[in-house]
Amino acid sequence: MRGEASISADRTSRDSLAPKLRAKGTDAWRIGEELFVVTNLLDHDAQVERSLTDPSRPTADKVALIKTILADQADPLTVEILNDLVSRNWSRVSDIANAVEDFAVDAMMYYADATDSTLAVSVELAQMHSALLKMSVLRSKLSDDFAPAKARLDLLHAVFGDAKLNKVTMRLAEHAVANPRHRRFLETLEWLIAKFTRHMGQSMVTVTTATPLNKTQIKRLTEIYTNKLGRPVHINSSVDPSVLGGMRVQIGADVTDNTVAAQLLQLRRKVTTEM
């Protein structure tokens, strides 16, 4: 959990610089890339992280360190974001890396906005999450801290490389795999889905059925879950013949599985237990 000082620092910095980041349009991609690199650096260099958050150290020294790290290679807004962050107070040393990552994801969302692909990315992240729910071995390998980052990335590309995902979706997945940040891959996907749905002002509801939903069914489900959640929703219809019938509904990390396949599995477990 982040302390109050870190929460305030993160929120204030992002709110103040959001208009500039949004105005970057497609150039926000470069800023997101640069901030992901800095996030990884901070996560793996405790000395630099401490130097940038030391409350006894003058801000000018921290800004000078940022300049040394970036070596005049970064976008001016990347520099401005980092300079702003190091000027603030943090509850814990590691919280500044969380804030840099937040900015990086924000940049990718603004790039998605500029390319009219925000909804597509949100849907693809939800579909990736839904697919991985049934692949525990793959989830484990993608989150394996003991495996080299390259091996995890190679596995990600082998599984999803032919899916023709939006470049933002793939970049976010690559970040989650290459630098897990003490999170399981599925957990990071849930966090990203929540950020995108909040950014769009609506919730993502993934509905999995054996056959495609028609327009009337999607409209009805939209009405039901909009009323239930008290905010606009987008229905992401996913088809999986193996569920046989019924419906599996996923909202964030919450899954309600009323499919025939799930009921048969429960029955099989019950019979096995009673034998």
Side-chain angles (χ1 to χ4, degrees):
M1 294 292 289
R2 303 190 202 186
E4 289 185 12
S6 292
I7 293 173
S8 176
D10 189 338
R11 183 178 300 142
T12 302
S13 184
R14 289 165 65 204
D15 286 349
S16 65
L17 292 169
K20 290 185 178 181
L21 191 52
R22 185 184 301 111
K24 278 288 188 176
T26 56
D27 289 338
W29 175 271
R30 175 186 174 184
I31 296 169
E33 286 278 21
E34 291 170 348
L35 292 173
F36 277 141
V37 171
V38 175
T39 302
N40 189 65
L41 168 67
L42 295 175
D43 283 339
H44 294 88
D45 195 324
Q47 183 176 351
V48 170
E49 202 170 45
R50 284 194 299 270
S51 297
L52 293 175
T53 55
D54 184 352
S56 66
R57 186 172 187 175
T59 297
D61 287 356
K62 300 175 186 178
V63 168
L65 178 55
I66 289 293
K67 184 176 182 180
T68 300
I69 292 171
L70 299 179
D72 295 323
Q73 300 290 321
D75 185 283
L77 185 53
T78 300
V79 178
E80 183 176 355
I81 288 169
L82 294 173
N83 287 347
D84 185 89
L85 290 176
V86 299
S87 71
R88 300 184 183 278
N89 294 321
W90 301 93
S91 305
R92 298 182 310 173
V93 170
S94 60
D95 286 344
I96 192 171
N98 296 332
V100 175
E101 183 188 40
D102 282 338
F103 261 114
V105 175
D106 288 349
M108 290 298 173
M109 288 193 294
Y110 289 131
Y111 174 85
D113 290 345
T115 54
D116 296 321
S117 57
T118 312
L119 177 58
V121 172
S122 183
V123 168
E124 288 175 355
L125 289 170
Q127 290 173 337
M128 185 180 290
H129 183 280
S130 181
L132 287 170
L133 284 174
K134 299 178 292 182
M135 297 184 280
S136 59
V137 174
L138 177 59
R139 294 201 312 267
S140 179
K141 289 183 177 179
L142 289 173
S143 303
D144 185 2
D145 282 335
F146 295 102
K150 185 180 183 305
R152 297 194 300 269
L153 284 169
D154 288 345
L155 178 60
L156 175 73
H157 293 150
V159 175
F160 294 104
D162 294 332
K164 297 182 180 179
L165 297 173
N166 183 279
K167 64 183 291 186
V168 174
T169 307
M170 183 56 76
R171 185 64 188 90
L172 292 171
E174 288 170 346
H175 167 68
V177 166
N179 187 16
R181 311 203 69 236
H182 308 294
R183 297 180 302 228
R184 307 296 290 175
F185 185 60
L186 214 58
E187 181 185 351
T188 303
L189 286 180
E190 290 162 3
W191 172 67
L192 290 168
I193 292 167
K195 284 179 74 69
F196 267 78
T197 51
R198 284 197 303 270
H199 180 69
M200 295 187 298
Q202 60 182 202
S203 292
M204 175 71 65
V205 179
T206 298
V207 180
T208 303
T209 52
T211 57
L213 297 172
N214 59 42
K215 292 182 179 179
T216 301
Q217 291 171 317
I218 291 176
K219 181 180 179 181
R220 179 57 180 153
L221 287 169
T222 300
E223 293 172 351
I224 290 172
Y225 282 98
T226 294
N227 291 332
K228 182 176 181 178
L229 299 176
R231 56 184 179 274
V233 303
H234 173 77
I235 300 298
N236 170 38
S237 178
S238 176
V239 178
D240 181 1
S242 69
V243 304
L244 301 179
M247 186 180 297
R248 181 171 66 236
V249 178
Q250 179 181 342
I251 306 172
D254 297 324
V255 178
T256 302
D257 197 337
N258 292 318
T259 62
V260 173
Q263 294 171 19
L264 290 174
L265 179 60
Q266 291 176 359
L267 178 61
R268 189 179 303 118
R269 287 173 176 171
K270 182 179 179 180
V271 172
T272 302
T273 302
E274 293 176 351
M275 289 180 63

